[in-house]
Amino acid sequence: MHTPEALSKHYIPYNVKFLGSTEVEQPKGTEVVRDAVRKLKFARHIKKSEGQKTPKVELQISIYGVKILDSKTKEVQHNCQLHRISFCADDKTDKRIFTFICKDSESNKHLCYVFDSEKCAEEITLTIGQAFDLAYRKFLESGGKDVETRKQIAGLQKRIHELETENIELKNKVQDLENQLRITQVQTSPAGSVTPKSPSTDIFDMVPFSPISPQSSTPTRNGTQPPPVPSRSAEIKRDLFGAEPFDPFSCGAGDFPPDIQSKLDEMQEGFKMGLTLEATVFCLDPLDSKC
């Protein structure tokens, strides 16, 4: 039907009328789509009697899926990935009607989409089948490399998020230590003395103690020495609070989020199920050309 480059690097557009979608119980079957077409056609006739027109949409078919866009605004209404499409059929008695069943990514329910294609139903059905075949071959040829790269990126993003959380916790711990030190200095100050509020330096023009600054040997106002700060050893690969430094190359396979692995498993399962292309007779009255 089309060159592999047209489906892999671009997409094949079709202007059709969208009768709607409805939930079905099975991912495949002629009777399943036949009942769905009857249901949606009946609903469309009711809407037509109320003065509503059948909406026009643009189908964009590629190896990445079937997109359903508003014909005027080009806003994406539905994005059906190919490995989720399990059944596609066109009506040999009415060259305009075609339908496919796709598993919804959020609800995991099987939805049947029905279209009026202006006498090119068979071509669209074959185009979806060709795109599915190319996508499956590319998936096998890549050996999951593209998915593995995405898994590694997701793992690094997860690690960055964990480090940001640890950084916030460490900052809070440092702040708590500083507050405890100020309280200790106030409690041990001589009676009647006045402790400056949040000074930049003390009465001896010395910078106040900070856990992240080098330890000073200058005694405090009451003559006592501040608590010693643990020294950082270059031999121990841990920071002040015992956290190991981040190494992106040390992330193992077990660090990858489980949702990425589940998506990979879903793609493999969807492609293994295959896409059934079937020419069926819906035994329905032709749609009104004015709808």
Side-chain angles (χ1 to χ4, degrees):
M1 291 294 300
H2 307 281
T3 62
E5 292 76 13
L7 288 168
S8 59
K9 296 181 180 180
H10 305 283
Y11 58 84
I12 307 299
Y14 291 98
N15 293 317
V16 298
K17 294 180 180 180
F18 186 28
L19 274 67
S21 63
T22 183
E23 181 182 354
V24 293
E25 297 182 357
Q26 301 295 330
K28 297 176 183 290
T30 302
E31 291 296 330
V32 174
V33 295
R34 182 179 294 147
D35 292 340
V37 171
R38 284 199 185 101
K39 179 179 179 180
L40 291 174
K41 183 180 178 182
F42 179 74
R44 180 50 53 188
H45 276 300
I46 293 178
K47 292 182 179 180
K48 180 185 176 182
S49 64
E50 297 174 350
Q52 299 183 23
K53 295 183 178 180
T54 305
K56 296 181 179 181
V57 297
E58 177 182 326
L59 293 183
Q60 294 181 355
I61 304 174
S62 69
I63 62 172
Y64 301 102
V66 179
K67 289 185 178 180
I68 304 175
L69 300 84
D70 183 274
S71 59
K72 294 182 179 180
T73 64
K74 302 302 180 182
E75 180 182 358
V76 178
Q77 299 178 350
H78 304 277
N79 187 8
C80 303
Q81 296 174 310
L82 286 179
H83 68 274
R84 291 179 173 272
I85 300 178
S86 55
F87 191 85
C88 190
D90 59 274
D91 185 0
K92 292 303 180 183
T93 61
D94 187 349
K95 299 296 184 180
R96 300 184 304 179
I97 299 297
F98 84 96
T99 177
F100 64 82
I101 298 177
C102 180
K103 188 176 181 181
D104 184 68
S105 59
E106 296 182 359
S107 63
N108 285 330
K109 296 179 180 179
H110 293 96
L111 301 178
C112 183
Y113 296 82
V114 181
F115 303 88
D116 178 355
S117 61
E118 295 295 336
K119 298 183 179 181
C120 58
E122 183 179 5
E123 179 182 343
I124 298 177
T125 301
L126 295 176
T127 301
I128 294 177
Q130 182 183 2
F132 185 94
D133 183 63
L134 290 174
Y136 187 33
R137 290 183 181 182
K138 182 178 179 181
F139 180 81
L140 294 178
E141 291 173 358
S142 65
K145 293 180 181 179
D146 294 341
V147 180
E148 187 66 25
T149 301
R150 295 176 184 176
K151 286 171 59 179
Q152 293 178 2
I153 294 175
L156 293 176
Q157 290 176 342
K158 178 185 177 182
R159 183 58 177 160
I160 291 174
H161 177 72
E162 292 175 350
L163 289 173
E164 290 176 348
T165 303
E166 292 178 4
N167 186 35
I168 295 175
E169 293 177 353
L170 291 177
K171 287 182 178 180
N172 294 334
K173 290 181 179 179
V174 171
Q175 185 64 39
D176 292 340
L177 289 175
E178 291 179 348
N179 295 336
Q180 293 177 6
L181 181 60
R182 292 192 184 99
I183 294 174
T184 303
Q185 290 177 344
V186 172
Q187 292 177 348
T188 57
S189 298
S193 62
V194 178
T195 304
K197 297 181 179 180
S198 302
S200 58
T201 59
D202 59 17
I203 59 175
F204 301 104
D205 291 332
M206 299 297 294
V207 179
F209 168 75
S210 174
I212 60 174
S213 63
Q215 181 180 359
S216 174
S217 59
T218 305
T220 56
R221 291 181 57 187
N222 60 350
T224 61
Q225 197 72 17
V229 179
S231 60
R232 297 185 180 181
S233 173
E235 298 178 356
I236 302 177
K237 295 183 178 180
R238 293 177 180 273
D239 58 18
L240 177 63
F241 299 97
E244 295 181 358
F246 169 61
D247 184 3
F249 300 99
S250 64
C251 294
D255 295 330
F256 294 138
D259 58 332
I260 299 296
Q261 184 61 41
S262 64
K263 290 181 180 179
L264 173 60
D265 296 338
E266 180 201 358
M267 290 182 64
Q268 292 174 334
E269 181 181 357
F271 279 126
K272 287 181 180 179
M273 178 184 295
L275 172 62
T276 302
L277 301 181
E278 185 171 334
T280 182
V281 179
F282 295 115
C283 298
L284 297 173
D285 296 332
L287 285 176
D288 191 335
S289 60
K290 297 181 180 180
C291 66

